[in-house]
Amino acid sequence: MASTPAGPGGPGNDASVLTKTKSKTQRPPMYKVMLLNDDYTPMEFVVHVLERFFGMSHAQAFDIMLTVHKKGLAVVGVFSFEVAETKVAQVMDFARRHQHPLQCTMEKEE
């Protein structure tokens, strides 16, 4: 069994020069998920939504619910587009199934 000699033109040696360009990896844009206040959704329901879909403790959820109630809206999390879109859909579906007009929206973070 003969082996091919190593050297110019031999296996593993490429005569062309490879240049590596280092591209900066950009972070994907993030999206804020927000809950909006309304006059009909019970506060307890909002707290439950925050605990269930955003993994908040009861105390955190209660504080955010009060912010929504007093200021009209609150950011409840910042996520990638797909995660934010899913969270909004889950919250809206859950609210509709329980016949509450709770609104959840998302917007691109600046």
Side-chain angles (χ1 to χ4, degrees):
M1 192 159 164
S3 66
T4 310
N13 292 325
D14 190 355
S16 65
V17 178
L18 295 177
T19 57
K20 288 187 178 181
T21 57
K22 199 166 194 171
S23 61
K24 266 193 172 177
T25 306
Q26 282 191 331
R27 295 189 67 186
M30 300 299 277
Y31 290 80
K32 298 183 284 190
V33 174
M34 297 167 290
L35 284 182
L36 289 88
N37 189 43
D38 64 73
D39 293 332
Y40 303 101
T41 304
M43 292 179 175
E44 299 80 26
F45 184 80
V46 175
V47 170
H48 179 70
V49 163
L50 292 168
E51 291 170 343
R52 178 173 178 162
F53 297 105
F54 298 95
M56 295 183 186
S57 69
H58 186 75
Q60 286 174 309
F62 191 82
D63 287 345
I64 296 286
M65 176 275 298
L66 285 179
T67 300
V68 172
H69 182 69
K70 291 176 183 173
K71 296 190 175 183
L73 69 94
V75 174
V76 296
V78 179
F79 308 96
S80 67
F81 179 81
E82 292 80 8
V83 173
E85 188 176 49
T86 300
K87 297 250 184 221
V88 168
Q90 288 174 328
V91 169
M92 295 294 288
D93 180 58
F94 190 69
R96 296 302 154 265
R97 283 189 283 127
H98 289 84
Q99 299 176 343
H100 295 302
L102 181 65
Q103 293 292 306
C104 186
T105 63
M106 61 187 264
E107 74 178 37
K108 194 171 183 178
E109 198 174 37
E110 298 296 320

